[in-house]
Amino acid sequence: MEQPQTLFDKYGGVPTITGVVRSFYRRVLEQPNLARYFIHTDMEALIDHQIKFFAYVMGKPAEIYTGRDMKTAHESAGITQQSFDQVAELLRRHWKTLGWSPQTFKQPWSAWQAFRVKSSLGVERPWGLR
């Protein structure tokens, strides 16, 4: 029986998503407030990691993405709420510029947002943010 086509495959697989991830990080690094989080980051390794993450949230099997959970991976970075919101807005705008229908990025956006946790005040906050 043939497997249903994933969003990852539908939108071009590795070549397309690689371009999407690279152009997104170019936008992130153009923002001084955000670029500071990546000063000591191997961007090629990060891009490879993010391609696997997007493959997973766009329907590929879970074994594609072997990274740490989002909270553990980011809790020591000191990411502010403002920075998280700025990245979220850049990501939302970036997907829109691709010409993908809102339905296309609903699944990955929902998966990304699922990593948010409630603070002690009951306010929804991203994972590990101060």
Side-chain angles (χ1 to χ4, degrees), residues 59-129:
K60 287 296 199 181
E63 57 269 8
I64 293 287
Y65 178 71
T66 58
R68 299 174 290 172
D69 67 89
M70 297 284 268
K71 182 177 186 222
T72 302
H74 295 87
E75 66 188 349
S76 66
I79 301 168
T80 65
Q81 183 70 45
Q82 177 185 0
S83 293
F84 179 86
D85 292 345
Q86 190 176 1
V87 169
E89 180 60 20
L90 283 172
L91 184 60
R92 188 191 65 74
R93 276 195 255 148
H94 184 58
W95 282 339
K96 193 173 181 178
T97 66
L98 297 173
W100 293 354
S101 72
Q103 202 59 27
T104 300
F105 55 86
K106 184 178 180 180
Q107 182 181 344
W109 182 258
S110 294
W112 191 68
Q113 289 293 318
F115 292 111
R116 295 172 73 91
V117 296
K118 298 270 184 182
S119 74
S120 60
L121 299 175
V123 177
E124 195 169 286
R125 293 190 44 133
W127 26 258
L129 301 186

Side-chain angles (χ1 to χ4, degrees), residues 8-19:
F8 186 79
D9 296 323
K10 178 180 178 181
Y11 286 94
V14 171
T16 298
I17 302 305
T18 298

